[in-house]
Amino acid sequence: MDQQGVIKKEGKLTLVLALATLIAAFGSSFQYGYNVAAINSPAELMREFYNETYYDRTGDYLSDFSLTLLWSVSVSMFPFGGFIGSLMVGVLVNKLGRKGTLLLNNVFSIVPAILMGASEVSKSFEMIILSRLLVGICAGLSSNVVPMYLGELAPKNLRGALGVVPQLFITVGILVAQIFGLRSLLATEEGWPILLGVTGIPAALQLLLLPLFPESPRYLLVQKKDSAAAKKALQRLRGWDDVDAEMEEIQQEDEAERAAGFISIVKLFRMRSLRWQVISVIVLMGGQQLSGVNAIYYYADQIYLSAGVNTNDVQYVTAGTGAVNVVITFLAVFVVELLGRRVLLLLGFSICFIACCVLTAALALQDTISWMPYLSITCVISYVVGHALGPSPIPALLITEVFLQSSRSSAFMVGGSVHWLSNFTVGLVFPFIQVGLGPYSFIIFGIICLLTTIYIFLVVPETKAKTFMEINQIFAKMNKVSEVHPEKEELKELPSSTLEQ
């Protein structure tokens, strides 16, 4: 009876846990999504500003090539900054903690928000380019640290739901940027600096409110060795005093890892006991970005126009697609604990594969068959639904789940680097693929979706409602080692021996 009471308690979403989740996700993940989309709507206005600024300085206008190059640099600075931010994750989360890193990260949002807001008055497009790099660093840190922080705050039966919340706020950020970026709102000559500068508001709120909430209990106990602070943090998060069972589980993880010490990226790749975890993270993060999600959005406007949507109305249809993305990601928050991570990944990538194949045919035949453009729109929306179900939210959640404390920060650095490099590569290469292959470019993305689906089916296990130690033992069997860290013989079968004590 008492055991049932404990199980019932574990599922509780306390006010402290809910608010910590919302503030971390709104203050960090929201900005990532917002800055991805905010630059799209005022693109032409900003290019004019670049040209006029250059003319005021030199008396000449920029050549088409120079203007395109400057704009490409402005856009690509964001994923490049994301890559730099990912490389900073390991050092910062271990030195400052998860919460401390999120607080520091607000500097990389507030400073560029001020610079972007003042760029037109200052007649400086260099301020925009620098700011895009800084908000990229902010996104690179937040896309790794928020899932890590929330994954370590959450009880195991809520870890999946809370792990999807950062992706939900990324989609909300994209939608808000699309709405603010309507030509009737801020996508105007006077409004675009405000549109870019709004990103500082969530950061300022997080800077004020996040200090009121606990640091990750796992970080406090395993890395800071402060059991009193860890226990106090757990009590606040769970809403009751008896947290001894969870403290014991964290200590068990700590003992299992003490043999290995801190695991650097080099060690991460060398350790046989982490082989399939590392490969899975690379495949999932690569698959997420190389599956064509950015290309679909890039093509969306042309698809809507060819289906007969008025040029002025395309912005509203694009915002509608963003709303679909939010709704489906919100749904994923609730179904991830019901269906599991593996099912959502398989379902999501499969839908994306089918959508890419049908879209290729529809684009190739749209001038021949009158109703093909409508099929294209259906494919775009289906793809967005599929990606929002699994490929977008689940990979970052899985990094938290399949690695233990000593290797988690290095794993996030690897996953984040793959994520941002893939993002940067697609942005750089896709325009050339589009010119060379036209509608057939989606065949490449379809193949990547199919290969990722096959890998998930064959390799990735279900992690729903399991402790970090239980998940690690599943991978220990896959890696053909007898325990988490095979370097130390005395740790063999540690979980069972710990329980016997």
Side-chain angles (χ1 to χ4, degrees):
M1 193 75 181
D2 186 51
Q3 187 70 20
Q4 287 177 338
V6 171
I7 291 166
K8 202 173 181 181
K9 271 184 173 182
E10 282 182 349
K12 195 174 165 187
L13 181 64
T14 60
L15 184 63
V16 172
L17 182 57
L19 289 175
T21 301
L22 291 175
I23 290 162
F26 176 65
S28 296
S29 304
F30 174 89
Q31 293 180 68
Y32 172 10
Y34 187 86
N35 285 304
V36 163
I39 203 168
N40 294 339
S41 303
E44 284 307 311
L45 294 166
M46 290 175 71
R47 286 162 74 107
E48 282 174 29
F49 165 69
Y50 282 25
N51 221 348
E52 291 296 332
T53 302
Y54 188 79
Y55 178 79
D56 290 343
R57 291 178 190 175
T58 64
D60 288 316
Y61 286 108
L62 287 159
S63 67
D64 286 348
F65 175 78
S66 299
L67 183 58
T68 304
L69 182 65
L70 260 182
W71 184 248
S72 297
V73 169
S74 303
V75 173
S76 60
M77 274 294 132
F78 183 73
F80 182 65
F83 174 61
I84 294 171
S86 295
L87 296 179
M88 294 163 64
V89 168
V91 176
L92 291 178
V93 295
N94 291 323
K95 290 278 183 192
L96 304 177
R98 283 67 169 137
K99 186 177 85 168
T101 302
L102 289 177
L103 290 171
L104 174 70
N105 195 28
N106 291 312
V107 174
F108 296 111
S109 178
I110 293 169
V111 171
I114 294 166
L115 290 176
M116 287 190 288
S119 59
E120 191 189 24
V121 178
S122 308
K123 299 288 180 190
S124 171
F125 52 74
E126 293 87 353
M127 286 167 71
I128 294 173
I129 294 169
L130 174 63
S131 298
R132 291 289 293 173
L133 177 69
L134 293 174
V135 292
I137 292 170
C138 173
L141 281 166
S142 66
S143 63
N144 292 295
V145 181
V146 177
M148 191 190 305
Y149 178 55
L150 298 184
E152 291 179 9
L153 291 189
K156 67 179 181 181
N157 56 322
L158 289 176
R159 202 168 56 226
L162 297 190
V164 175
V165 169
Q167 182 61 33
L168 174 63
F169 273 83
I170 290 171
T171 62
V172 170
I174 292 169
L175 178 60
V176 169
Q178 287 170 336
I179 293 168
F180 283 0
L182 294 173
R183 282 187 281 277
S184 55
L185 292 176
L186 291 177
T188 61
E189 280 190 38
E190 301 78 30
W192 67 259
I194 299 166
L195 176 66
L196 299 183
V198 163
T199 186
I201 295 171
L205 284 171
Q206 188 182 69
L207 202 55
L208 288 171
L209 298 174
L210 194 61
L212 304 174
F213 293 90
E215 176 57 273
S216 157
R218 279 188 143 72
Y219 170 77
L220 292 170
L221 184 60
V222 176
Q223 274 144 301
K224 301 298 284 184
K225 308 297 179 192
D226 190 343
S227 58
K231 188 169 186 176
K232 189 178 175 185
L234 268 179
Q235 287 170 337
R236 283 190 67 198
L237 289 164
R238 301 295 175 258
W240 61 81
D241 291 334
D242 185 15
V243 292
D244 291 343
E246 201 167 347
M247 286 285 287
E248 193 177 323
E249 187 249 308
I250 299 171
Q251 279 169 335
Q252 184 178 305
E253 183 184 329
D254 182 27
E255 284 172 32
E257 297 198 282
R258 211 169 280 163
F262 171 72
I263 296 170
S264 65
I265 290 179
V266 174
K267 197 171 182 182
L268 196 73
F269 279 99
R270 284 180 178 169
M271 288 180 70
R272 185 181 166 185
S273 59
L274 296 174
R275 185 173 297 161
W276 281 111
Q277 293 96 310
V278 173
I279 294 169
S280 297
V281 163
I282 292 169
V283 169
L284 289 174
M285 280 298 187
Q288 180 196 65
Q289 291 301 310
L290 299 174
S291 58
V293 62
N294 295 330
I296 285 278
Y297 280 116
Y298 183 90
Y299 237 99
D301 285 7
Q302 290 168 258
I303 290 166
Y304 298 145
L305 286 169
S306 68
V309 178
N310 289 331
T311 308
N312 198 48
D313 293 338
V314 165
Q315 56 181 338
Y316 300 107
V317 180
T318 304
T321 310
V324 170
N325 201 358
V326 172
V327 170
I328 300 301
T329 310
F330 184 72
L331 180 69
V333 172
F334 296 96
V335 298
V336 67
E337 292 297 354
L338 192 68
L339 299 178
R341 289 74 157 140
R342 180 180 153 87
V343 172
L344 287 184
L345 282 171
L346 288 169
L347 183 64
F349 275 112
S350 299
I351 292 170
C352 291
F353 165 65
I354 294 165
C356 282
C357 293
V358 178
L359 182 59
T360 302
L363 289 172
L365 297 170
Q366 70 179 11
D367 296 328
T368 315
I369 302 169
S370 61
W371 50 268
M372 275 297 161
Y374 302 102
L375 182 61
S376 300
I377 289 179
T378 306
C379 288
V380 169
I381 293 168
S382 300
Y383 183 96
V384 168
V385 167
H387 216 274
L389 267 179
S392 285
I394 305 298
L397 163 62
L398 276 179
I399 300 177
T400 305
E401 294 190 319
V402 304
F403 290 93
L404 297 180
Q405 197 76 10
S406 62
S407 54
R408 195 172 289 134
S409 58
S410 293
F412 266 102
M413 285 170 72
V414 171
S417 299
V418 172
H419 171 101
W420 289 103
L421 282 175
S422 301
N423 188 320
F424 182 72
T425 304
V426 170
L428 209 61
V429 174
F430 178 68
F432 298 103
I433 295 174
Q434 188 198 3
V435 170
L437 296 176
Y440 298 103
S441 55
F442 286 100
I443 291 174
I444 297 170
F445 300 125
I447 290 167
I448 290 169
C449 289
L450 178 62
L451 292 174
T452 311
T453 306
I454 293 167
Y455 179 88
I456 293 162
F457 182 76
L458 295 175
V459 177
V460 178
E462 183 53 72
T463 57
K464 181 180 75 171
K466 292 182 173 69
T467 67
F468 293 133
M469 286 298 291
E470 286 167 347
I471 294 163
N472 239 271
Q473 286 187 312
I474 294 168
F475 275 100
K477 288 175 186 171
M478 289 169 61
N479 291 317
K480 294 185 169 57
V481 294
S482 55
E483 68 292 306
V484 180
H485 296 300
E487 291 87 343
K488 295 278 181 176
E489 285 297 310
E490 66 267 24
L491 286 175
K492 280 189 177 176
E493 304 300 326
L494 179 107
S496 57
S497 64
T498 307
L499 289 171
E500 281 165 20
Q501 287 170 10

